Amino acid sequence: MEDPTVSVVVVSHGRPRSLAVTLTALARLDWNALEVVVVACSRGAEAARAHPEGRAAKILEYNAANISAARNRGIAAAAGEVVAFLDDDAVPEASWLRHLVAPFAVTEVDAAGGYVLGRNGISLQWGARTVDDTGVATPLALTGDAPVILHGTPRRAIKTEGTNMAVRRDVLATVGGFDPAYRFYLDETDLNLRLARAGHATALVPRAQVHHGFAESARRGPDRTPRDLTEIGASTAVFLRRHAEDDRHGPALDALRRHQRARLIGLLQRGPLDPSDMRRLMRGLEAGIAQGRTRPLAPLDPLPRPAQGFLSYPTRPGAPQVLLTGRRLAPLQDAARRRDRAGEVVTVLHMRPGTRAHHMRFDPSGVWVQSGGLFGRSDRTGPRIRITRRSTRVAAEIERLAPIRPLVRG
């Protein structure tokens, strides 16, 4: 059976540099039939057009700060059988679509979601979860790393993350895509509930992994400190109106207030916020709740077919994934860039003497770089210090990455 055609929709607002990195990573995917649809503000659209692969992407300029409306524009332009979604501050593993799209070979599967790694590039940010009709997510224990096909209920859906999910295009178009009443928060969760209520099955795919950087935006600082909570309040109120019974709205909003207050107190104690910041942010949350209670809720019309056919984006199907390691970083990076230009997907493992914890990042040049101390941990659940030989440690890291990134020493 041939692989389905896939359109990856990337929405970007005010982050042209991170968008360029995302486009570079997409060009290293192990997938044959890929289309990339970028829906971006003016600066982002300009950066996408200037990217080396920009001519091979569908680029739509959209300046409103509404991720749902932007995603719907992307879906309308997408010509793939499956539409996947990726944020502009995220980079996928080369094997991402190979794993994420595999469950669509089963007829009953209409949606799929993968796992998201956090800023250190190693630890899990979001794994398997379900979500109820008040928008509260609950971890879901899965055994092993094989895809699992699940069915939601009218009051509890299978959670997928907006930066790592895929849906059959015809299903997305039929249900009207994303609800523009959610301008950035709970947008994919609303879709999860609607898909569950319509009886669509969702596959959770642990090996389909994306690295998510939480880049700076109008809503949060570079250290993830919130700058505004208005839309969180508004989207929560909209979500409750859409999905929960009236008598559950008050308790759910009180829980939201407690959660946000506790989060802000933690930031206050650590230093990024002062008391006036906390008061301002909580006022914004309340203002957002008030807005969400009166925000118009329009019916969702089916989305149109694309006006343009499938536009192939360059990828590296079947490319060797190689590991380069050594004691000096600069020569390693030079060699890695040469190998990358030759068409390989390259990971650099640079370990200095010491116990510094490891980090994995995708360099804008197109090369993965893992760095840390020879005796420092990569998996944060392991011991902080482990005395080992360099050759033994390299072998251990190759084994750790093998399910996602099968590496061969270069």
Side-chain angles (χ1 to χ4, degrees):
M1 182 178 181
E2 288 188 6
D3 294 333
T5 55
V6 178
S7 299
V8 174
V9 173
V10 183
V11 171
S12 182
H13 192 88
R15 298 194 290 220
R17 289 185 179 179
S18 59
L19 171 61
V21 176
T22 300
L23 294 176
T24 298
L26 286 169
R28 281 143 184 81
L29 288 180
D30 178 16
W31 192 256
N32 284 294
L34 174 69
E35 175 181 75
V36 173
V37 182
V38 177
V39 186
C41 64
S42 299
R43 289 171 58 213
E46 182 180 357
R49 294 186 189 103
H51 191 273
E53 317 300 349
R55 291 186 178 181
K58 293 179 178 178
I59 301 170
L60 311 176
E61 192 166 322
Y62 184 71
N63 284 293
N66 187 319
I67 194 170
S68 296
R71 281 177 173 161
N72 286 349
R73 292 194 174 207
I75 297 165
E81 298 165 78
V82 172
V83 181
F85 298 91
L86 189 68
D87 286 353
D88 65 350
D89 59 350
V91 291
E93 289 281 345
S95 61
W96 175 50
L97 288 182
R98 186 64 57 195
H99 294 300
L100 184 66
V101 178
F104 288 100
V106 179
T107 305
E108 69 170 324
V109 173
D110 288 321
Y115 282 14
V116 180
L117 303 181
R119 277 187 164 185
N120 65 28
I122 295 171
S123 300
L124 192 65
Q125 186 179 98
W126 296 312
R129 299 193 290 174
T130 62
V131 64
D132 70 13
D133 56 358
T134 67
V136 175
T138 302
L140 178 65
L142 297 184
T143 302
D145 57 6
V148 178
I149 299 172
L150 301 165
H151 290 80
T153 69
R155 294 186 63 171
R156 182 166 292 276
I158 311 307
K159 182 81 172 75
T160 60
E161 310 302 337
T163 192
N164 187 358
M165 61 181 286
V167 187
R168 293 189 194 272
R169 192 203 184 278
D170 59 351
V171 171
L172 264 178
T174 299
V175 302
F178 293 84
D179 186 344
Y182 306 94
R183 294 174 185 170
F184 96 93
Y185 182 67
L186 292 174
D187 46 301
E188 71 270 17
T189 307
D190 170 82
L191 177 62
N192 295 153
L193 260 294
R194 287 188 282 125
L195 291 175
R197 288 172 178 171
H200 298 288
T202 296
L204 293 182
V205 192
R207 288 189 179 185
Q209 295 189 3
V210 161
H211 297 244
H212 187 218
F214 273 127
E216 181 179 8
S217 73
R219 297 180 302 274
R220 62 172 178 252
D223 60 353
R224 296 180 58 186
T225 299
R227 291 172 169 166
D228 182 58
L229 298 179
T230 304
E231 195 53 43
I232 288 178
S235 290
T236 301
V238 167
F239 190 90
L240 293 169
R241 290 168 62 201
R242 282 290 200 194
H243 297 291
E245 297 170 356
D246 290 347
D247 61 355
R248 302 180 70 206
H249 292 196
L253 290 171
D254 286 341
L256 173 70
R257 293 181 180 103
R258 289 192 299 270
H259 171 73
Q260 293 298 332
R261 188 178 298 278
R263 179 164 75 113
L264 297 180
I265 288 173
L267 292 167
L268 186 68
Q269 292 170 338
R270 292 200 297 273
L273 297 180
D274 61 32
S276 64
D277 292 323
M278 182 171 174
R279 289 191 294 270
R280 173 182 56 79
L281 288 165
M282 290 303 296
R283 285 196 300 269
L285 182 71
E286 291 298 334
I289 290 171
Q291 291 174 24
R293 283 171 166 159
T294 60
R295 185 172 287 176
L297 303 182
L300 302 179
D301 296 325
L303 298 177
R305 298 297 304 173
Q308 180 183 353
F310 190 84
L311 180 62
S312 292
Y313 192 80
T315 54
R316 298 184 181 181
Q321 295 209 45
V322 299
L323 177 74
L324 304 182
T325 184
R327 298 175 186 271
R328 297 175 58 206
L329 182 57
L332 273 177
Q333 289 179 317
D334 289 342
R337 289 164 186 156
R338 288 195 298 272
R339 301 286 288 267
D340 174 74
R341 288 194 293 270
E344 298 176 327
V345 178
V346 186
T347 298
V348 167
L349 176 58
H350 178 242
M351 294 184 293
R352 293 181 176 178
T355 60
R356 187 169 70 91
H358 283 225
H359 289 72
M360 179 76 74
R361 64 181 177 85
F362 184 77
D363 189 82
S365 67
V367 172
W368 291 95
V369 179
Q370 180 176 333
S371 59
L374 174 60
F375 309 125
R377 63 181 174 179
S378 48
D379 183 350
R380 291 335 193 240
T381 64
R384 288 182 178 273
I385 300 173
R386 179 173 291 169
I387 304 302
T388 183
R389 294 187 178 188
R390 184 172 290 271
S391 59
T392 303
R393 181 60 189 270
V394 171
E397 292 305 312
I398 291 175
E399 182 179 5
R400 181 182 68 81
L401 290 165
I404 311 301
R405 197 184 303 180
L407 294 169
V408 176
R409 288 285 297 270

